[in-house]
Amino acid sequence: MTTDYIAEMLERIPDKLLTLDAWHRARGGRMVSFAGYQMPVQYEGVMAEHLWTRENAGLFDVSHMGQVLLTGEDPDGALETVVPGEIAKLPVNRMRYSLLLGEDGGVLDDLMITRRERDLYLVVNGACKYDDLAYMRETFPDEVVITLLDERALFALQGPKAGEALASLIPDVASLYFMQAGAFTLDDMSLWISRSGYTGEDGFEISVDCDHAAALADRLCAIDSVKPIGLGARDSLRLEAGLPLYGHDLDEDTSPIEGDLGFAISKRRRAEGGFAGAERVLSELTGGAPRKRVGLAVEGRQPVREGAELFAGDRLVGKVTSGGFAPSLGAPIAMGMVSAAHAAIGTALEAEVRGKRIAVTVAAMPFVPHRYHRPTAA
């Protein structure tokens, strides 16, 4: 059986439908194939939905993501063999962003890890979740139990009015700060809610049983400040926030240091190592990586898209990994992977788009300031 034949057969497998597929279509959602699912890319239009989320609150259906529980004997220790973060001392109901690493230090996925009373709760990317599960099952001891919660839907409520909106239904969520989580109830719904998200805005991710997903979405969208928002705006929001998208800005060939994610390597892990790919990652942490993910300000109005090559004069120095128009800025922006010698902020480069060179400049990220809900400093 040839590789081409297998690939052809995989292409014929129909996309899975979200629990709320009919709900999205009834509200004008235009559905596209993404990560093996039919997903709403937009309802009213990407620009309008993006700006609504920046000013109000947007509800995103992210149920394609993988929700995973780790239980059994020492899941902390098992997870620390494949992520560079400090897990053992993570307090109950606290979260940590981390990276699932291969043996060579490449990023297999980025994920959120939450300590709960009786387990570790992980949220992984939809396109990677089955590979992630297979990798963990192959790597972890048999005593660690790995459970995919495929009976749960996941929503992201994002925007400056998200806190007010959700607290109008569940007052106790007002006590959560960024990267905190807890169990809540609404009517007969058992919810797991974290104050987190991937837009740079204040907001929440809400895990709910699939049987209650439509009722929860209806309750939220009945609030004047909340509208359903599609994948298109989610992408432009995270790009403005300088947040990488796995499979585009990160992949299995990219190390955490190349991905500009050194913050995800905890202090103890820097000293002790002991995680997959530690030799490469710690060497790059101290000595520098050969390339780096950077932000790019684009001159003019024409966006530069993923795959565009980046030049310093006649020398090819990198490529664009994400790019598009930034509605909040009224200008195109991008991210790219460039050689370390050309990664300094202010470096002038050119992107080649359909045979034409467009001036770009390495820029600081985020492009739009983050507005996470953090405790006020005393």
Side-chain angles (χ1 to χ4, degrees):
M1 186 177 295
T2 67
T3 301
D4 288 345
Y5 176 80
I6 294 172
E8 183 181 347
M9 290 301 100
L10 289 174
E11 288 178 359
R12 293 183 183 180
I13 297 174
D15 287 332
K16 295 182 179 179
L17 300 183
L18 298 172
T19 297
L20 294 191
D21 182 80
W23 189 95
H24 294 302
R25 294 176 189 274
R27 284 154 184 79
R30 183 159 71 84
M31 311 301 281
V32 299
S33 179
F34 180 80
Y37 288 80
Q38 282 288 301
M39 301 280 293
V41 66
Q42 65 179 44
Y43 300 85
E44 300 176 19
V46 174
M47 176 82 75
E49 292 170 28
H50 177 113
L51 295 175
W52 177 271
T53 304
R54 284 275 185 248
E55 297 166 5
N56 297 281
L59 183 67
F60 302 81
D61 186 349
V62 290
S63 300
H64 65 298
M65 306 284 277
Q67 300 179 68
V68 180
L69 294 186
L70 300 185
T71 56
E73 185 178 330
D74 192 22
D76 302 45
L79 190 57
E80 283 195 356
T81 65
V82 292
V83 304
E86 168 74 79
I87 308 304
K89 294 184 179 179
L90 186 63
V92 172
N93 291 348
R94 295 297 182 91
M95 311 172 63
R96 180 150 292 155
Y97 173 85
S98 199
L99 304 163
L100 188 68
L101 301 181
E103 287 302 319
D104 63 351
V107 178
L108 304 180
D109 199 2
D110 59 343
L111 68 160
M112 297 298 298
I113 303 165
T114 307
R115 160 90 60 213
R116 307 202 305 185
E117 289 283 355
R118 297 179 178 84
D119 54 50
L120 292 175
Y121 169 74
L122 281 52
V123 177
V124 302
N125 281 296
C128 308
K129 61 185 177 186
Y130 297 113
D131 288 337
D132 292 355
L133 289 169
Y135 179 60
M136 288 188 284
R137 285 175 175 142
E138 178 183 348
T139 306
F140 292 176
D142 292 341
E143 293 77 12
V144 177
V145 180
I146 305 168
T147 306
L148 177 64
L149 301 179
D150 52 8
E151 79 285 0
R152 305 281 291 183
L154 189 66
F155 297 127
L157 182 67
Q158 302 284 292
K161 296 183 181 179
E164 176 186 350
L166 192 56
S168 71
L169 300 179
I170 310 170
D172 287 348
V173 299
S175 66
L176 294 179
Y177 287 103
F178 182 58
M179 301 297 274
Q180 291 183 332
F184 298 87
T185 58
L186 174 62
D187 300 332
D188 56 348
M189 307 177 203
S190 296
L191 309 174
W192 180 258
I193 301 177
S194 64
R195 199 147 197 168
S196 62
Y198 219 62
T199 62
E201 293 290 342
D202 181 27
F204 304 86
E205 291 195 350
I206 308 166
S207 175
V208 58
D209 190 274
C210 288
D211 290 343
H212 297 302
L216 179 59
D218 284 341
R219 291 288 298 275
L220 289 167
C221 288
I223 300 169
D224 289 343
S225 59
V226 179
K227 287 184 178 182
I229 307 295
L231 279 176
R234 186 167 185 258
D235 190 54
S236 56
L237 288 160
R238 69 90 194 167
L239 180 59
E240 288 185 350
L243 300 172
L245 179 63
Y246 191 81
H248 301 262
D249 311 293
L250 302 173
D251 57 34
E252 61 185 10
D253 295 322
T254 304
S255 75
I257 310 306
E258 290 176 325
D260 196 29
L261 298 171
F263 70 87
I265 308 169
S266 301
K267 183 178 180 180
R268 174 174 67 83
R269 311 309 305 283
R270 294 180 184 217
E272 297 179 1
F275 54 88
E279 182 177 357
R280 172 190 178 187
V281 173
L282 297 180
S283 174
E284 291 182 357
L285 184 64
T286 56
R291 55 185 190 147
K292 182 182 178 183
R293 177 177 65 93
V294 299
L296 298 167
V298 181
E299 185 176 300
R301 302 285 293 178
Q302 182 176 343
V304 296
R305 304 291 184 183
E306 178 181 355
E309 294 181 326
L310 294 167
F311 291 86
D314 293 330
R315 184 179 177 188
L316 176 65
V317 298
K319 69 173 184 177
V320 173
T321 54
S322 288
F325 189 78
S328 303
L329 303 175
I333 57 173
M335 290 185 208
M337 190 67 71
V338 301
S339 64
H342 298 86
I345 292 173
T347 301
L349 301 172
E350 291 180 310
E352 187 163 287
V353 180
R354 294 191 292 275
K356 177 184 176 182
R357 295 286 183 92
I358 296 176
V360 300
T361 304
V362 176
M365 295 189 290
F367 298 96
V368 173
H370 294 166
R371 296 195 286 186
Y372 301 132
H373 186 64
R374 302 182 187 273
T376 303

